[in-house]
Amino acid sequence: MKTIIDFFFNKLKALKSLRFLIFILLFIVGVVPSVLISESVIKNYKSREISLRTTEVVDQGRILATRLDSEGYIMDPDNPILENEMTLLTGIYDGRIIITDGRFLVIYDTYGLSTGKTMISQEIIKCFSSGAGSSVYDPDNRYIEIAVPINNNQTGETEGVLFISSSTDIIRDSEDVIRRKSGIITVTLAVFLFVLALFLSYLLVRPFKRITLAIGSVKEGFGDAQVSIPDYSETEAIMNAFNSLMERLKTLDESRDEFVSNVSHELKTPLASMKVLADSLIAADNVSNETYREFMADIAEEVDREDKIISDLLSMVKMDKSQTAVNAEDTDINAMIELILKMLKPIADKRGIQMVFESKRAINAEVDKTKLTLAIMNLVENAVKYNKDNGWIRVGLDGDHQFFTITVSDSGIGIPEESLDQIFERFYRVDKSHSREMGGTGLGLAITRSAVLMHRGAIKVSSVDGEGTTFTVKIPLKIAITG
Ligand code: ADP
Protein backbone atom coordinates (compact mmCIF):
# COMPACT_ATOMS: atom_id res chain seq x y z
CA MET A 1 0.00 0.00 0.00
CA LYS A 2 2.75 2.38 1.01
CA THR A 3 4.63 1.75 -2.19
CA ILE A 4 1.48 2.50 -4.23
CA ILE A 5 1.04 5.79 -2.36
CA ASP A 6 4.72 6.60 -2.92
CA PHE A 7 4.32 5.81 -6.60
CA PHE A 8 1.39 8.24 -7.03
CA PHE A 9 3.07 10.85 -4.90
CA ASN A 10 6.14 10.69 -7.15
CA LYS A 11 3.90 10.87 -10.22
CA LEU A 12 2.18 13.99 -8.84
CA LYS A 13 5.58 15.53 -8.20
CA ALA A 14 6.51 14.94 -11.84
CA LEU A 15 3.29 16.71 -12.92
CA LYS A 16 4.41 19.77 -11.00
CA SER A 17 7.72 19.93 -12.81
CA LEU A 18 8.12 22.87 -15.18
CA ARG A 19 10.07 20.68 -17.56
CA PHE A 20 7.22 18.19 -17.75
CA LEU A 21 4.67 20.97 -18.35
CA ILE A 22 6.76 22.54 -21.14
CA PHE A 23 7.21 19.12 -22.70
CA ILE A 24 3.47 18.33 -22.64
CA LEU A 25 2.58 21.79 -23.92
CA LEU A 26 4.97 21.62 -26.88
CA PHE A 27 3.87 18.11 -27.70
CA ILE A 28 0.15 18.90 -27.57
CA VAL A 29 0.55 22.17 -29.48
CA GLY A 30 2.41 20.27 -32.19
CA VAL A 31 0.34 17.10 -32.48
CA VAL A 32 -3.27 18.18 -31.90
CA PRO A 33 -3.47 20.75 -34.75
CA SER A 34 -1.87 18.31 -37.19
CA VAL A 35 -4.46 15.63 -36.32
CA LEU A 36 -7.31 18.16 -36.59
CA ILE A 37 -6.07 19.52 -39.94
CA SER A 38 -5.69 16.08 -41.49
CA GLU A 39 -9.18 15.10 -40.26
CA SER A 40 -10.76 18.20 -41.78
CA VAL A 41 -8.86 17.76 -45.08
CA ILE A 42 -10.16 14.17 -45.37
CA LYS A 43 -13.71 15.27 -44.57
CA ASN A 44 -13.58 18.04 -47.18
CA TYR A 45 -12.16 15.68 -49.77
CA LYS A 46 -14.96 13.19 -49.13
CA SER A 47 -17.83 15.65 -49.38
CA ARG A 48 -16.36 17.23 -52.53
CA GLU A 49 -15.92 13.83 -54.20
CA ILE A 50 -19.52 12.89 -53.36
CA SER A 51 -20.92 16.14 -54.73
CA LEU A 52 -18.85 15.74 -57.95
CA ARG A 53 -20.07 12.16 -58.33
CA THR A 54 -23.69 13.27 -57.72
CA THR A 55 -23.46 15.96 -60.41
CA GLU A 56 -21.95 13.44 -62.82
CA VAL A 57 -24.66 10.83 -62.19
CA VAL A 58 -27.41 13.49 -62.47
CA ASP A 59 -25.96 14.64 -65.81
CA GLN A 60 -25.77 11.08 -67.08
CA GLY A 61 -29.35 10.48 -65.83
CA ARG A 62 -30.65 13.50 -67.73
CA ILE A 63 -28.93 12.41 -70.94
CA LEU A 64 -30.30 8.90 -70.53
CA ALA A 65 -33.84 10.18 -69.76
CA THR A 66 -33.78 12.22 -73.00
CA ARG A 67 -32.65 9.14 -74.95
CA LEU A 68 -35.28 6.96 -73.33
CA ASP A 69 -37.90 9.48 -74.40
CA SER A 70 -36.59 9.86 -77.95
CA GLU A 71 -36.42 6.09 -78.37
CA GLY A 72 -39.96 5.76 -76.95
CA TYR A 73 -38.70 3.27 -74.40
CA ILE A 74 -41.66 3.67 -72.02
CA MET A 75 -44.10 2.64 -74.73
CA ASP A 76 -41.85 -0.04 -76.13
CA PRO A 77 -39.30 -1.28 -73.58
CA ASP A 78 -37.86 -3.85 -75.92
CA ASN A 79 -34.63 -2.10 -76.88
CA PRO A 80 -31.50 -4.26 -76.40
CA ILE A 81 -29.09 -1.54 -77.59
CA LEU A 82 -30.36 0.90 -74.97
CA GLU A 83 -30.38 -1.79 -72.30
CA ASN A 84 -26.79 -2.68 -73.23
CA GLU A 85 -25.80 0.93 -72.78
CA MET A 86 -27.58 1.05 -69.44
CA THR A 87 -25.76 -2.10 -68.26
CA LEU A 88 -22.48 -0.46 -69.30
CA LEU A 89 -23.38 2.70 -67.41
CA THR A 90 -24.17 0.77 -64.21
CA GLY A 91 -20.80 -0.91 -64.61
CA ILE A 92 -19.04 2.45 -64.75
CA TYR A 93 -20.94 3.88 -61.76
CA ASP A 94 -21.01 0.63 -59.81
CA GLY A 95 -24.79 0.88 -59.41
CA ARG A 96 -28.25 0.04 -60.58
CA ILE A 97 -30.77 1.56 -62.99
CA ILE A 98 -34.53 1.18 -62.51
CA ILE A 99 -37.15 2.63 -64.85
CA THR A 100 -40.82 2.92 -63.91
CA ASP A 101 -43.66 3.91 -66.20
CA GLY A 102 -46.63 6.18 -65.52
CA ARG A 103 -48.41 3.42 -63.54
CA PHE A 104 -45.46 3.05 -61.18
CA LEU A 105 -44.64 -0.28 -62.74
CA VAL A 106 -40.95 -1.21 -63.02
CA ILE A 107 -40.31 -1.78 -66.70
CA TYR A 108 -36.56 -2.11 -66.44
CA ASP A 109 -34.10 -3.04 -63.66
CA THR A 110 -30.42 -3.74 -64.37
CA TYR A 111 -30.54 -6.30 -61.57
CA GLY A 112 -33.76 -7.76 -63.01
CA LEU A 113 -35.09 -8.17 -59.45
CA SER A 114 -37.89 -5.62 -59.47
CA THR A 115 -39.04 -5.85 -63.11
CA GLY A 116 -42.82 -6.08 -63.29
CA LYS A 117 -43.31 -4.91 -59.69
CA THR A 118 -44.99 -1.71 -58.59
CA MET A 119 -42.72 0.87 -57.00
CA ILE A 120 -44.06 3.91 -55.19
CA SER A 121 -41.81 6.33 -53.37
CA GLN A 122 -41.68 9.98 -52.48
CA GLU A 123 -39.17 10.62 -55.26
CA ILE A 124 -41.46 9.05 -57.93
CA ILE A 125 -44.46 11.08 -56.76
CA LYS A 126 -42.31 14.21 -56.77
CA CYS A 127 -41.13 13.48 -60.32
CA PHE A 128 -44.68 13.00 -61.59
CA SER A 129 -46.16 15.96 -59.72
CA SER A 130 -43.51 18.59 -60.35
CA GLY A 131 -41.55 17.13 -63.27
CA ALA A 132 -38.35 17.76 -61.30
CA GLY A 133 -35.72 15.21 -60.31
CA SER A 134 -34.00 14.69 -56.94
CA SER A 135 -30.76 13.35 -55.55
CA VAL A 136 -29.81 12.02 -52.09
CA TYR A 137 -26.75 10.56 -50.47
CA ASP A 138 -27.22 7.64 -48.10
CA PRO A 139 -24.14 7.71 -45.81
CA ASP A 140 -25.00 4.42 -44.05
CA ASN A 141 -25.08 2.36 -47.26
CA ARG A 142 -22.72 4.75 -49.05
CA TYR A 143 -25.03 5.22 -52.04
CA ILE A 144 -25.95 8.19 -54.18
CA GLU A 145 -29.52 7.88 -55.36
CA ILE A 146 -31.01 10.07 -58.07
CA ALA A 147 -34.46 10.18 -59.65
CA VAL A 148 -34.92 11.83 -63.07
CA PRO A 149 -38.34 12.26 -64.73
CA ILE A 150 -38.63 10.91 -68.31
CA ASN A 151 -40.56 13.72 -69.98
CA ASN A 152 -42.24 13.45 -73.37
CA ASN A 153 -40.44 15.87 -75.62
CA GLN A 154 -43.63 16.76 -77.51
CA THR A 155 -46.34 16.81 -74.85
CA GLY A 156 -44.02 17.74 -71.95
CA GLU A 157 -45.77 15.12 -69.82
CA THR A 158 -43.87 12.86 -67.42
CA GLU A 159 -44.15 9.34 -68.74
CA GLY A 160 -41.84 7.56 -66.43
CA VAL A 161 -39.04 7.90 -63.85
CA LEU A 162 -35.44 6.87 -64.14
CA PHE A 163 -33.64 5.81 -60.93
CA ILE A 164 -29.90 5.54 -60.77
CA SER A 165 -28.14 4.46 -57.62
CA SER A 166 -24.36 4.62 -57.54
CA SER A 167 -22.07 3.17 -54.90
CA THR A 168 -19.43 5.51 -53.43
CA ASP A 169 -17.23 2.68 -52.18
CA ILE A 170 -14.45 3.83 -54.45
CA ILE A 171 -14.49 7.20 -52.68
CA ARG A 172 -14.30 5.38 -49.34
CA ASP A 173 -11.34 3.39 -50.63
CA SER A 174 -9.42 6.53 -51.62
CA GLU A 175 -10.39 8.06 -48.27
CA ASP A 176 -8.88 5.05 -46.53
CA VAL A 177 -5.67 5.40 -48.50
CA ILE A 178 -5.42 9.10 -47.64
CA ARG A 179 -6.23 8.37 -44.00
CA ARG A 180 -3.51 5.75 -43.84
CA LYS A 181 -0.94 8.08 -45.40
CA SER A 182 -1.88 10.98 -43.15
CA GLY A 183 -1.74 8.59 -40.16
CA ILE A 184 1.85 7.71 -41.05
CA ILE A 185 2.70 11.41 -41.40
CA THR A 186 1.02 12.20 -38.06
CA VAL A 187 2.87 9.41 -36.23
CA THR A 188 6.19 10.50 -37.77
CA LEU A 189 5.42 14.07 -36.76
CA ALA A 190 4.47 12.95 -33.25
CA VAL A 191 7.75 11.07 -32.85
CA PHE A 192 9.68 14.07 -34.16
CA LEU A 193 7.73 16.43 -31.85
CA PHE A 194 8.27 14.09 -28.91
CA VAL A 195 12.04 14.27 -29.38
CA LEU A 196 11.93 18.02 -30.05
CA ALA A 197 9.72 18.68 -27.00
CA LEU A 198 12.04 16.56 -24.87
CA PHE A 199 15.05 18.51 -26.07
CA LEU A 200 13.42 21.95 -25.85
CA SER A 201 12.00 21.30 -22.37
CA TYR A 202 15.50 20.33 -21.24
CA LEU A 203 16.96 23.44 -22.86
CA LEU A 204 14.35 25.85 -21.49
CA VAL A 205 14.54 24.56 -17.93
CA ARG A 206 18.33 24.39 -17.85
CA PRO A 207 18.80 27.94 -16.44
CA PHE A 208 16.61 26.99 -13.45
CA LYS A 209 18.82 23.97 -12.80
CA ARG A 210 21.79 26.32 -12.93
CA ILE A 211 20.08 28.56 -10.35
CA THR A 212 19.68 25.59 -8.01
CA LEU A 213 23.33 24.68 -8.50
CA ALA A 214 24.46 28.28 -8.00
CA ILE A 215 22.41 28.67 -4.82
CA GLY A 216 23.63 25.29 -3.61
CA SER A 217 27.23 26.31 -4.10
CA VAL A 218 26.94 29.56 -2.11
CA LYS A 219 25.15 28.08 0.88
CA GLU A 220 28.56 27.23 2.31
CA GLY A 221 29.31 30.84 3.15
CA PHE A 222 28.82 34.45 2.16
CA GLY A 223 31.22 34.89 -0.71
CA ASP A 224 31.67 38.31 -2.26
CA ALA A 225 30.91 37.09 -5.77
CA GLN A 226 27.48 37.95 -7.14
CA VAL A 227 25.81 35.03 -8.88
CA SER A 228 24.28 35.92 -12.21
CA ILE A 229 22.13 33.75 -14.55
CA PRO A 230 21.17 36.19 -17.31
CA ASP A 231 19.52 33.60 -19.63
CA TYR A 232 16.00 35.03 -19.04
CA SER A 233 14.87 38.23 -17.40
CA GLU A 234 13.03 36.01 -14.85
CA THR A 235 16.18 34.10 -13.89
CA GLU A 236 18.04 37.38 -13.67
CA ALA A 237 15.33 38.75 -11.34
CA ILE A 238 15.51 35.63 -9.14
CA MET A 239 19.27 35.89 -8.91
CA ASN A 240 19.12 39.64 -8.16
CA ALA A 241 16.69 38.92 -5.33
CA PHE A 242 18.94 36.12 -4.13
CA ASN A 243 22.04 38.34 -4.27
CA SER A 244 20.37 41.08 -2.27
CA LEU A 245 19.15 38.50 0.25
CA MET A 246 22.72 37.24 0.58
CA GLU A 247 23.93 40.82 0.95
CA ARG A 248 21.43 41.33 3.77
CA LEU A 249 22.40 38.10 5.47
CA LYS A 250 26.04 39.07 5.19
CA THR A 251 25.33 42.45 6.80
CA LEU A 252 23.35 40.74 9.55
CA ASP A 253 26.18 38.29 10.07
CA GLU A 254 28.69 41.12 10.30
CA SER A 255 26.51 43.15 12.65
CA ARG A 256 26.03 40.08 14.85
CA ASP A 257 29.83 39.62 15.01
CA GLU A 258 30.26 43.28 15.81
CA PHE A 259 27.57 43.06 18.49
CA VAL A 260 29.19 40.05 20.12
CA SER A 261 32.58 41.74 20.16
CA ASN A 262 31.00 44.94 21.59
CA VAL A 263 29.20 42.99 24.31
CA SER A 264 32.37 41.12 25.25
CA HIS A 265 34.30 44.35 25.37
CA GLU A 266 31.64 46.11 27.50
CA LEU A 267 31.43 43.20 29.89
CA LYS A 268 35.19 42.91 30.16
CA THR A 269 35.79 46.57 31.05
CA PRO A 270 34.26 46.42 34.60
CA LEU A 271 35.91 43.04 35.13
CA ALA A 272 39.31 44.50 34.20
CA SER A 273 38.78 47.39 36.65
CA MET A 274 37.80 44.95 39.41
CA LYS A 275 40.89 42.88 38.69
CA VAL A 276 43.17 45.92 38.88
CA LEU A 277 41.56 47.02 42.14
CA ALA A 278 41.76 43.55 43.66
CA ASP A 279 45.36 42.98 42.46
CA SER A 280 46.58 46.23 43.92
CA LEU A 281 44.98 45.38 47.26
CA ILE A 282 46.66 41.96 47.21
CA ALA A 283 50.03 43.40 46.23
CA ALA A 284 50.12 46.15 48.87
CA ASP A 285 51.35 45.44 52.41
CA ASN A 286 49.80 46.98 55.47
CA VAL A 287 46.77 48.40 53.71
CA SER A 288 44.67 50.55 55.95
CA ASN A 289 41.09 49.75 56.69
CA GLU A 290 40.05 52.94 55.00
CA THR A 291 41.84 52.08 51.74
CA TYR A 292 40.24 48.62 51.82
CA ARG A 293 36.81 50.20 52.12
CA GLU A 294 37.54 52.66 49.34
CA PHE A 295 38.73 49.89 46.98
CA MET A 296 35.85 47.59 47.88
CA ALA A 297 33.38 50.42 47.22
CA ASP A 298 34.97 50.86 43.78
CA ILE A 299 34.69 47.13 43.14
CA ALA A 300 31.00 47.22 44.19
CA GLU A 301 30.46 50.11 41.77
CA GLU A 302 31.96 48.03 38.95
CA VAL A 303 29.71 45.09 39.90
CA ASP A 304 26.70 47.42 39.70
CA ARG A 305 27.88 48.55 36.31
CA GLU A 306 28.26 44.97 35.09
CA ASP A 307 24.76 44.29 36.42
CA LYS A 308 23.36 47.33 34.58
CA ILE A 309 24.93 46.25 31.29
CA ILE A 310 23.49 42.75 31.63
CA SER A 311 19.99 43.97 32.52
CA ASP A 312 20.10 46.47 29.62
CA LEU A 313 21.14 43.66 27.28
CA LEU A 314 18.25 41.55 28.50
CA SER A 315 15.78 44.42 27.99
CA MET A 316 17.12 44.91 24.48
CA VAL A 317 16.75 41.25 23.58
CA LYS A 318 13.15 41.38 24.83
CA MET A 319 12.48 44.47 22.70
CA ASP A 320 13.95 42.85 19.62
CA LYS A 321 11.15 40.30 19.57
CA SER A 322 8.26 40.70 17.16
CA GLN A 323 5.34 43.05 17.60
CA THR A 324 3.20 40.22 18.97
CA ALA A 325 5.28 40.55 22.14
CA VAL A 326 3.46 43.85 22.81
CA ASN A 327 1.30 43.47 25.87
CA ALA A 328 -1.15 46.24 25.02
CA GLU A 329 -3.35 47.66 27.78
CA ASP A 330 -5.36 50.84 28.17
CA THR A 331 -2.95 53.30 29.79
CA ASP A 332 -3.25 56.80 31.16
CA ILE A 333 -0.21 58.37 29.49
CA ASN A 334 -0.29 61.49 31.72
CA ALA A 335 -0.08 59.34 34.84
CA MET A 336 2.65 57.24 33.28
CA ILE A 337 4.84 60.29 32.56
CA GLU A 338 4.18 61.79 36.00
CA LEU A 339 5.37 58.55 37.59
CA ILE A 340 8.55 58.53 35.46
CA LEU A 341 9.34 62.12 36.48
CA LYS A 342 8.69 61.29 40.11
CA MET A 343 11.11 58.35 39.95
CA LEU A 344 13.84 60.44 38.33
CA LYS A 345 13.32 63.56 40.46
CA PRO A 346 15.97 62.57 43.06
CA ILE A 347 18.80 62.34 40.49
CA ALA A 348 17.63 65.57 38.80
CA ASP A 349 17.47 67.36 42.14
CA LYS A 350 21.00 66.23 42.90
CA ARG A 351 22.25 68.41 40.03
CA GLY A 352 19.73 71.17 40.52
CA ILE A 353 17.91 70.31 37.29
CA GLN A 354 14.34 71.47 37.04
CA MET A 355 11.81 69.11 35.44
CA VAL A 356 8.56 70.39 33.97
CA PHE A 357 5.67 68.37 32.55
CA GLU A 358 3.58 70.24 29.98
CA SER A 359 0.52 68.25 29.06
CA LYS A 360 -1.87 69.69 26.47
CA ARG A 361 -4.63 67.10 27.08
CA ALA A 362 -5.47 63.87 28.85
CA ILE A 363 -4.36 60.91 26.77
CA ASN A 364 -5.41 57.32 27.09
CA ALA A 365 -3.78 54.85 24.74
CA GLU A 366 -3.40 51.14 24.22
CA VAL A 367 0.29 50.55 24.88
CA ASP A 368 2.63 48.13 26.55
CA LYS A 369 3.02 50.10 29.74
CA THR A 370 6.22 48.45 30.96
CA LYS A 371 8.05 48.80 27.66
CA LEU A 372 6.93 52.35 26.95
CA THR A 373 7.77 53.42 30.53
CA LEU A 374 11.29 52.03 30.04
CA ALA A 375 11.59 53.86 26.69
CA ILE A 376 10.51 57.27 28.04
CA MET A 377 12.48 56.77 31.22
CA ASN A 378 15.65 56.30 29.16
CA LEU A 379 15.00 59.61 27.38
CA VAL A 380 14.40 61.56 30.59
CA GLU A 381 17.36 59.86 32.28
CA ASN A 382 19.58 60.89 29.36
CA ALA A 383 18.20 64.43 29.61
CA VAL A 384 19.41 64.45 33.22
CA LYS A 385 22.74 62.69 32.52
CA TYR A 386 23.74 64.90 29.60
CA ASN A 387 22.44 68.17 31.12
CA LYS A 388 24.32 71.02 32.65
CA ASP A 389 24.07 71.57 36.39
CA ASN A 390 21.00 73.66 37.24
CA GLY A 391 19.58 73.11 33.78
CA TRP A 392 16.01 72.29 32.84
CA ILE A 393 14.05 69.44 31.27
CA ARG A 394 10.67 69.86 29.59
CA VAL A 395 8.48 66.87 28.91
CA GLY A 396 5.52 67.61 26.60
CA LEU A 397 2.43 65.53 25.80
CA ASP A 398 -0.07 66.17 23.05
CA GLY A 399 -2.29 64.09 20.78
CA ASP A 400 -5.03 63.91 18.17
CA HIS A 401 -7.60 61.26 17.32
CA GLN A 402 -4.90 58.95 15.92
CA PHE A 403 -1.55 59.57 17.60
CA PHE A 404 -0.04 60.95 20.77
CA THR A 405 3.32 62.73 20.90
CA ILE A 406 5.78 62.90 23.77
CA THR A 407 8.67 65.38 23.59
CA VAL A 408 11.64 65.39 25.93
CA SER A 409 13.74 68.59 25.69
CA ASP A 410 16.73 69.53 27.74
CA SER A 411 19.17 72.37 28.15
CA GLY A 412 22.11 69.95 28.07
CA ILE A 413 25.35 69.49 26.23
CA GLY A 414 23.65 68.64 22.93
CA ILE A 415 24.72 66.11 20.31
CA PRO A 416 27.10 66.93 17.44
CA GLU A 417 25.36 66.80 14.06
CA GLU A 418 27.59 64.02 12.70
CA SER A 419 26.55 61.76 15.62
CA LEU A 420 22.78 62.27 15.27
CA ASP A 421 22.43 59.34 12.86
CA GLN A 422 24.29 56.94 15.13
CA ILE A 423 23.03 57.57 18.64
CA PHE A 424 20.31 54.88 18.28
CA GLU A 425 22.91 52.22 17.45
CA ARG A 426 23.74 49.72 20.16
CA PHE A 427 26.78 50.75 22.26
CA TYR A 428 27.22 54.03 20.40
CA ARG A 429 28.23 56.91 22.66
CA VAL A 430 29.30 60.39 21.65
CA ASP A 431 31.73 60.62 24.52
CA LYS A 432 32.52 57.21 25.91
CA SER A 433 34.17 58.34 29.14
CA HIS A 434 31.44 60.87 29.92
CA SER A 435 28.76 58.21 29.35
CA ARG A 436 30.67 55.78 31.55
CA GLU A 437 31.02 58.39 34.25
CA MET A 438 27.25 58.84 34.12
CA GLY A 439 26.69 55.09 34.37
CA GLY A 440 25.62 54.74 30.73
CA THR A 441 25.87 51.52 28.74
CA GLY A 442 25.24 52.83 25.23
CA LEU A 443 22.12 50.67 25.01
CA GLY A 444 19.49 53.10 26.33
CA LEU A 445 18.48 54.72 23.03
CA ALA A 446 18.60 51.38 21.15
CA ILE A 447 16.11 50.01 23.70
CA THR A 448 13.94 53.14 23.41
CA ARG A 449 13.86 52.95 19.63
CA SER A 450 12.96 49.24 19.64
CA ALA A 451 10.12 49.88 22.09
CA VAL A 452 8.77 52.74 19.94
CA LEU A 453 8.97 50.66 16.75
CA MET A 454 7.18 47.81 18.50
CA HIS A 455 4.30 50.23 19.01
CA ARG A 456 4.39 51.12 15.30
CA GLY A 457 5.59 54.56 16.30
CA ALA A 458 8.48 56.82 15.27
CA ILE A 459 11.27 58.60 17.13
CA LYS A 460 13.11 61.73 16.03
CA VAL A 461 15.92 63.75 17.49
CA SER A 462 16.99 67.35 17.00
CA SER A 463 19.88 68.94 18.79
CA VAL A 464 22.10 71.99 18.89
CA ASP A 465 25.58 71.12 20.08
CA GLY A 466 26.21 72.80 23.40
CA GLU A 467 22.64 74.08 23.77
CA GLY A 468 20.30 71.17 24.21
CA THR A 469 18.45 68.25 22.67
CA THR A 470 14.83 67.34 21.89
CA PHE A 471 13.56 63.81 21.36
CA THR A 472 10.07 63.44 19.82
CA VAL A 473 8.17 60.15 20.08
CA LYS A 474 4.97 59.67 18.07
CA ILE A 475 2.83 56.61 18.77
CA PRO A 476 -0.61 55.50 17.53
CA LEU A 477 -3.38 55.48 20.16
CA LYS A 478 -4.23 51.92 19.14
CA ILE A 479 -1.70 49.48 17.72
CA ALA A 480 -3.14 47.27 15.03
CA ILE A 481 -1.37 43.96 15.55
CA THR A 482 -1.20 42.33 12.18
CA GLY A 483 1.23 39.59 13.25
P1 ADP B 1 24.14 55.85 27.29
O1 ADP B 1 23.93 54.69 28.16
O2 ADP B 1 25.56 56.11 26.97
O3 ADP B 1 23.40 57.03 27.73
P2 ADP B 1 22.26 55.88 25.11
O4 ADP B 1 21.98 54.88 24.07
O5 ADP B 1 21.15 56.24 26.02
O6 ADP B 1 23.52 55.40 25.87
O7 ADP B 1 22.69 57.18 24.37
C1 ADP B 1 23.69 57.13 23.38
C2 ADP B 1 24.52 58.39 23.35
O8 ADP B 1 23.73 59.45 22.85
C3 ADP B 1 24.95 58.84 24.71
O9 ADP B 1 26.17 58.22 25.07
C4 ADP B 1 25.13 60.33 24.53
O10 ADP B 1 26.40 60.59 23.95
C5 ADP B 1 24.08 60.67 23.49
N1 ADP B 1 22.87 61.25 24.11
C6 ADP B 1 21.72 60.60 24.41
N2 ADP B 1 20.81 61.43 24.92
C7 ADP B 1 21.37 62.64 24.98
C8 ADP B 1 20.93 63.93 25.40
N3 ADP B 1 19.70 64.15 25.92
N4 ADP B 1 21.81 64.97 25.29
C9 ADP B 1 23.05 64.77 24.78
N5 ADP B 1 23.51 63.59 24.35
C10 ADP B 1 22.70 62.54 24.45
Side-chain angles (χ1 to χ4, degrees):
M1 184 65 188
K2 195 173 177 300
T3 49
I4 297 174
I5 293 173
D6 283 352
F7 175 77
F8 280 108
F9 184 70
N10 285 338
K11 276 269 168 306
L12 272 179
K13 250 173 132 180
L15 289 182
K16 275 172 123 182
S17 133
L18 182 63
R19 189 176 168 190
F20 178 75
L21 291 178
I22 291 176
F23 166 74
I24 287 288
L25 211 69
L26 285 175
F27 189 63
I28 290 176
V29 164
V31 171
V32 171
S34 90
V35 171
L36 291 179
I37 288 169
S38 81
E39 251 329 291
S40 99
V41 165
I42 291 170
K43 232 176 159 180
N44 271 337
Y45 161 80
K46 195 174 157 189
S47 70
R48 194 177 141 69
E49 280 298 296
I50 286 168
S51 92
L52 277 177
R53 171 66 79 87
T54 310
T55 321
E56 214 177 310
V57 177
V58 167
D59 285 349
Q60 288 298 333
R62 285 213 185 104
I63 294 166
L64 189 59
T66 316
R67 285 229 26 225
L68 288 169
D69 168 51
S70 63
E71 300 266 334
Y73 187 82
I74 303 292
M75 294 304 152
D76 176 17
D78 187 22
N79 193 334
I81 301 176
L82 215 52
E83 279 168 12
N84 243 348
E85 271 181 35
M86 285 196 276
T87 317
L88 212 70
L89 207 63
T90 50
I92 295 171
Y93 288 114
D94 187 12
R96 181 180 183 183
I97 294 178
I98 295 175
I99 299 168
T100 63
D101 64 7
R103 288 165 297 147
F104 308 126
L105 209 68
V106 176
I107 55 170
Y108 177 73
D109 177 4
T110 39
Y111 286 7
L113 297 172
S114 307
T115 318
K117 290 181 186 161
T118 307
M119 193 170 125
I120 301 175
S121 72
Q122 253 188 341
E123 284 79 28
I124 296 180
I125 296 168
K126 201 174 149 200
C127 279
F128 278 113
S129 61
S130 68
S134 63
S135 67
V136 283
Y137 173 64
D138 175 357
D140 296 333
N141 300 308
R142 296 186 302 279
Y143 262 87
I144 296 165
E145 286 173 342
I146 67 148
V148 184
I150 304 166
N151 293 331
N152 188 313
N153 198 18
Q154 267 129 44
T155 62
E157 256 175 51
T158 302
E159 291 179 336
V161 176
L162 166 70
F163 279 104
I164 306 180
S165 59
S166 164
S167 159
T168 58
D169 277 355
I170 189 152
I171 296 173
R172 208 247 337 245
D173 290 347
S174 346
E175 184 195 330
D176 283 349
V177 172
I178 297 173
R179 201 176 278 284
R180 220 171 302 131
K181 280 189 178 157
S182 91
I184 293 171
I185 293 173
T186 308
V187 169
T188 318
L189 188 76
V191 171
F192 171 71
L193 281 174
F194 181 85
V195 177
L196 188 74
L198 216 61
F199 177 65
L200 280 181
S201 61
Y202 163 75
L203 213 66
L204 291 174
V205 170
R206 207 168 49 165
F208 292 97
K209 283 219 164 108
R210 285 179 42 217
I211 287 181
T212 317
L213 276 179
I215 292 177
S217 66
V218 287
K219 74 176 166 214
E220 309 293 320
F222 308 108
D224 281 333
Q226 298 260 316
V227 193
S228 158
I229 313 265
D231 301 48
Y232 307 129
S233 49
E234 285 83 358
T235 52
E236 203 171 357
I238 292 175
M239 285 328 284
N240 285 345
F242 175 73
N243 285 333
S244 54
L245 174 73
M246 289 304 281
E247 200 69 34
R248 210 175 123 60
L249 287 177
K250 199 172 152 195
T251 317
L252 276 178
D253 202 45
E254 281 166 4
S255 85
R256 192 193 56 198
D257 287 350
E258 193 189 318
F259 178 66
V260 170
S261 96
N262 278 341
V263 169
S264 322
H265 178 76
E266 294 297 327
L267 291 177
K268 270 182 89 173
T269 315
L271 283 179
S273 308
M274 284 188 260
K275 172 102 172 108
V276 170
L277 289 166
D279 279 351
S280 50
L281 273 186
I282 295 164
D285 297 322
N286 306 324
V287 183
S288 69
N289 233 352
E290 215 168 86
T291 317
Y292 249 114
R293 271 177 180 284
E294 198 185 309
F295 276 46
M296 287 316 277
D298 285 349
I299 289 176
E301 207 173 276
E302 292 301 326
V303 170
D304 283 346
R305 191 172 157 64
E306 188 92 35
D307 185 56
K308 171 100 170 69
I309 295 172
I310 291 170
S311 55
D312 272 5
L313 276 172
L314 286 175
S315 307
M316 204 181 61
V317 171
K318 266 192 219 152
M319 297 287 184
D320 272 350
K321 287 210 183 108
S322 73
Q323 202 200 23
T324 40
V326 175
N327 199 355
E329 57 183 310
D330 195 28
T331 307
D332 177 348
I333 305 295
N334 290 65
M336 185 188 89
I337 294 175
E338 270 161 16
L339 188 69
I340 293 170
L341 295 186
K342 201 171 145 192
M343 284 196 285
L344 294 175
K345 195 167 183 310
I347 60 160
D349 284 348
K350 241 188 229 169
R351 297 184 56 203
I353 296 166
Q354 195 197 359
M355 288 199 293
V356 192
F357 179 31
E358 294 166 345
S359 170
K360 290 239 171 81
R361 65 198 76 225
I363 304 274
N364 272 293
E366 262 182 34
V367 294
D368 187 322
K369 204 172 170 180
T370 322
K371 290 185 176 117
L372 197 63
T373 302
L374 186 63
I376 305 302
M377 189 124 124
N378 279 341
L379 293 182
V380 183
E381 211 181 322
N382 278 348
V384 178
K385 282 196 300 191
Y386 304 107
N387 217 321
K388 293 166 188 156
D389 287 346
N390 307 315
W392 51 259
I393 297 170
R394 246 177 260 142
V395 180
L397 174 65
D398 198 359
D400 56 24
H401 62 287
Q402 247 184 319
F403 296 95
F404 67 93
T405 311
I406 301 173
T407 48
V408 180
S409 311
D410 63 56
S411 58
I413 56 171
I415 301 166
E417 210 180 327
E418 63 275 12
S419 298
L420 281 177
D421 281 347
Q422 300 165 69
I423 50 167
F424 294 105
E425 281 169 24
R426 299 179 288 204
F427 298 116
Y428 180 81
R429 282 158 283 190
V430 177
D431 180 346
K432 235 178 173 147
S433 60
H434 184 58
S435 160
R436 196 175 143 75
E437 231 172 75
M438 295 292 164
T441 60
L443 293 171
L445 285 181
I447 294 171
T448 299
R449 191 180 63 163
S450 292
V452 172
L453 293 183
M454 271 177 117
H455 285 83
R456 302 229 151 180
I459 180 162
K460 269 191 327 194
V461 58
S462 64
S463 183
V464 179
D465 202 6
E467 280 183 27
T469 308
T470 300
F471 283 92
T472 311
V473 172
K474 191 174 173 184
I475 287 178
L477 292 173
K478 269 189 177 89
I479 7 167
I481 300 174
T482 50

